[in-house]
Amino acid sequence: MDRMNHLESEITELRQLLNVKEKELNSLRKELIQQYQTNVIQQTDNQHQQFEMQMNKSLYGDQLPKWAIERYSRQILLSDIGVKGQEKICTAKVLVVGAGGLGCPAAMYLAGAGVGEIGIVDYDTVELTNIHRQILHGECDQNMSKAESAAQSLRSINSRITVTPYSVQLSPTNAIEIISKYDIVLDCTDNVPTRYLLNDACLTTKKPLISGSALKMEGQLTIYGYRAENNPNEKDSAYRSPCYRCVFPTPPAADAVGSCSSNGVCGPVTGIIGSLQALEAIKCIVGHTHEQMLAGRLLLFDGDDSTFGIARLRPRSEQCAVCSDQPTITRLIDYEVFCKAQANEKDLDLNILPSHSRMSALELAQKLSSVKNHDARHLLVDVRNEAEFNMCRIDGAVNRPMDRLQGKKFQELLDEVRDYEQVTFVCRRGNDSQVVAKKVLDVIGEGHVNRVNDLNGGLHAWAKYVDANFPVY
């Protein structure tokens, strides 16, 4: 027993001595490393600067530092990228306009690839309806600036890059200043005025514009304003791809352009197009030629049958108002006036009907509750599409989708209106309901004019003032 206790005591002492010796050894190692580093630094001023850059964030140009080789090794292994390509990626500056369904995946892959500086432009804040497709934002980011939220997420993906958020709406007054700081611009917006603005601003600053769009189950992608003169790998240095105005000289009618908030969009579709935008940006950075990129070609994706197609765009127009040799537009203009449309998706409050033809949500609730059999006396017409109507509706409403109210369908609606003492048109925000009500009032007999109105503020107002459990989307 004594022998056992003695051995245990000796082992304890040896362990303590071992710990002391290990600490001495580690201390000696640190001293030797520091001495070695000091010797290296003192060799020459140039070596000193090089060492400091490698020990800190970056050294690009002649070689990649150890951390960059380790981090980006899987793409450096690609012959299309290699060390030289990665050096270009790490010094590149890319501006992503729109931190939504397209901008989020695009920016995420650019950050992962090591793009040296990424700018994010978005005036909007994060909403719950965004999160199903805008993957840089989470539930905890609601009501936060999208640009700031995206920037935080990108920094968490790659702390080695610079991310600059711009929580502003891009406009003719700030576009040139912002865009001129970057090498490539990604159009990840969803409205026509901003597309024309980006096109003209990128042409002015001679930046390639990688333009994507997604709606419902479909997506498109191309590169506008690409200049071969900036790429030494190009055989034809005179080549220039068409710009947005070459393809669309005049803007489409405002009511012919859909939006995600009105028509819906499948999240993975935006992910596919946004990822491809990042791919085109990387190819452009590393020096692919225009034949290898989507310059002068339009990629079409159909999510319904998961197919891709390519359409060749018309060449750059010699009569283009902006990119021709004799442009007629030489400065940025008011693009909302030019396109007769908004440059954002914020709720637009139309004022088509006079105030006496509009009913508040509380007034409608009182009328519906005071009518025992309002099917016979009060007709509530919901003009949203069938999918929206099936999603949520006011009890007793009938669905007459606005986009079907032509010809025979509209005549049937007029006959229906004449059979009721009161008719109230309803939509999501109180805009489409005014359009339909005005169309009815323009042709209905004078005896029915005072019987037709719409719900002011639409179902959003109903949810706010009458039924807090009614879904807002």
Side-chain angles (χ1 to χ4, degrees):
M1 190 68 176
D2 291 341
R3 177 63 176 165
M4 186 180 296
N5 291 335
H6 180 70
L7 287 172
E8 288 178 349
S9 178
E10 283 185 344
I11 291 171
T12 300
E13 290 176 0
L14 288 171
R15 283 174 176 166
Q16 292 174 348
L17 180 61
L18 179 62
N19 288 334
V20 171
K21 296 301 181 182
E22 285 179 342
K23 289 180 180 179
E24 289 179 2
L25 179 61
N26 289 333
S27 178
L28 182 60
R29 281 174 177 167
K30 288 181 180 179
E31 289 178 4
L32 290 173
I33 290 173
Q34 290 174 356
Q35 185 177 357
Y36 172 76
Q37 291 176 344
T38 301
N39 291 337
V40 172
I41 293 172
Q42 291 176 345
Q43 286 179 8
T44 64
D45 290 341
N46 182 54
Q47 289 176 331
H48 168 74
Q49 293 174 357
Q50 191 175 35
F51 178 83
E52 282 296 308
M53 293 178 71
Q54 289 185 2
M55 290 298 290
N56 289 303
K57 274 204 168 183
S58 58
L59 172 62
Y60 312 121
D62 294 325
Q63 60 181 347
L64 290 171
K66 174 177 179 291
W67 69 262
I69 293 173
E70 292 175 345
R71 178 162 193 149
Y72 306 122
S73 61
R74 297 302 184 271
Q75 64 190 35
I76 294 174
L77 289 171
L78 298 174
S79 59
D80 286 339
I81 296 179
V83 172
K84 292 297 182 184
Q86 188 62 50
E87 290 172 1
K88 292 177 181 179
I89 292 172
C90 288
T91 56
K93 298 179 180 180
V94 178
L95 181 67
V96 179
V97 183
L102 299 174
C104 283
M108 178 177 289
Y109 277 108
L110 291 175
V115 169
E117 184 171 342
I118 299 175
I120 302 286
V121 180
D122 203 305
Y123 66 89
D124 208 354
T125 56
V126 179
E127 298 177 0
L128 187 64
T129 58
N130 303 145
I131 298 172
H132 91 281
R133 67 194 183 282
Q134 300 179 14
I135 54 179
L136 288 178
H137 314 305
E139 294 178 355
C140 61
D141 299 319
Q142 290 182 70
N143 300 317
M144 182 180 181
S145 159
K146 281 187 180 180
E148 294 288 349
S149 171
Q152 286 187 11
S153 297
L154 294 178
R155 293 184 188 116
S156 70
I157 292 170
N158 194 340
S159 62
R160 298 278 187 171
I161 66 174
T162 299
V163 184
T164 305
Y166 299 91
S167 299
V168 297
Q169 182 170 340
L170 207 66
S171 69
T173 59
N174 62 22
I176 298 295
E177 180 184 359
I178 294 175
I179 290 173
S180 61
K181 299 175 183 177
Y182 296 87
D183 307 315
I184 298 172
V185 179
L186 270 60
D187 178 3
C188 301
T189 64
D190 56 3
N191 66 84
V192 176
T194 304
R195 293 193 186 281
Y196 278 98
L197 167 62
L198 283 173
N199 178 79
D200 295 358
C202 285
L203 288 171
T204 300
T205 55
K206 298 183 178 180
K207 313 290 184 179
L209 177 62
I210 302 176
S211 179
S213 64
L215 190 66
K216 297 181 179 178
M217 295 289 287
E218 299 176 349
Q220 298 181 0
L221 175 64
T222 191
I223 302 177
Y224 293 118
Y226 172 81
R227 294 169 177 262
E229 63 190 30
N230 298 325
N231 184 356
N233 297 327
E234 291 278 8
K235 295 179 180 178
D236 180 9
S237 61
Y239 173 80
R240 288 172 61 183
S241 70
C243 77
Y244 186 69
R245 284 183 182 269
C246 292
V247 182
F248 304 104
T250 57
D255 58 1
V257 180
S259 67
C260 293
S261 65
S262 300
N263 302 97
V265 65
C266 183
V269 173
T270 64
I272 290 168
I273 300 300
S275 298
L276 288 172
Q277 284 183 276
L279 175 62
E280 291 300 299
I282 291 170
K283 287 159 61 179
C284 189
I285 291 168
V286 301
H288 279 47
T289 62
H290 69 273
E291 291 96 342
Q292 298 170 288
M293 298 186 294
L294 290 171
R297 297 183 298 152
L298 178 67
L299 179 143
L300 304 166
F301 173 68
D302 188 342
D304 280 327
D305 55 11
S306 297
T307 56
F308 287 90
I310 294 288
R312 188 161 294 278
L313 299 176
R314 67 185 71 169
R316 186 167 69 96
S317 173
E318 295 181 359
Q319 286 77 42
C320 179
V322 177
C323 77
S324 65
D325 294 333
Q326 294 180 326
T328 56
I329 297 176
T330 57
R331 61 180 179 82
L332 303 187
I333 62 176
D334 188 328
Y335 294 90
E336 291 188 324
V337 172
F338 174 66
C339 298
K340 299 178 182 178
Q342 281 195 153
N344 61 55
E345 266 202 3
K346 292 296 185 183
D347 289 4
L348 176 65
D349 296 323
L350 296 180
N351 290 297
I352 298 175
L353 297 177
S355 58
H356 63 79
S357 293
R358 310 209 69 190
M359 183 179 294
S360 71
L362 289 175
E363 288 174 332
L364 178 60
Q366 291 172 358
K367 282 190 173 292
L368 293 179
S369 63
S370 65
V371 178
K372 293 182 180 180
N373 184 14
H374 52 73
D375 281 345
R377 300 178 55 192
H378 193 151
L379 178 64
L380 191 61
V381 182
D382 193 320
V383 300
R384 296 174 299 155
N385 63 46
E386 187 176 354
E388 292 180 88
F389 184 76
N390 291 336
M391 191 160 55
C392 57
R393 57 185 177 274
I394 299 175
D395 185 35
V398 296
N399 190 208
R400 304 291 182 265
M402 177 181 179
D403 57 1
R404 299 180 188 174
L405 295 178
Q406 296 98 23
K408 183 179 179 181
K409 289 290 184 181
F410 182 63
Q411 191 59 49
E412 290 175 354
L413 175 64
L414 291 176
D415 294 339
E416 200 171 15
V417 168
R418 293 188 179 100
D419 289 338
Y420 285 84
E421 296 179 11
Q422 185 83 49
V423 178
T424 302
F425 290 95
V426 178
C427 70
R428 182 181 173 190
R429 294 171 174 166
N431 292 326
D432 289 345
S433 59
Q434 288 188 79
V435 173
V436 177
K438 178 67 164 58
K439 187 176 179 180
V440 169
L441 287 169
D442 285 344
V443 296
I444 199 81
E446 290 186 5
H448 298 273
V449 170
N450 293 329
R451 301 179 183 181
V452 176
N453 53 45
D454 92 306
L455 174 58
N456 195 345
L459 294 174
H460 281 199
W462 183 266
K464 184 176 181 179
Y465 299 110
V466 177
D467 184 1
N469 293 320
F470 195 90
V472 176
Y473 64 97

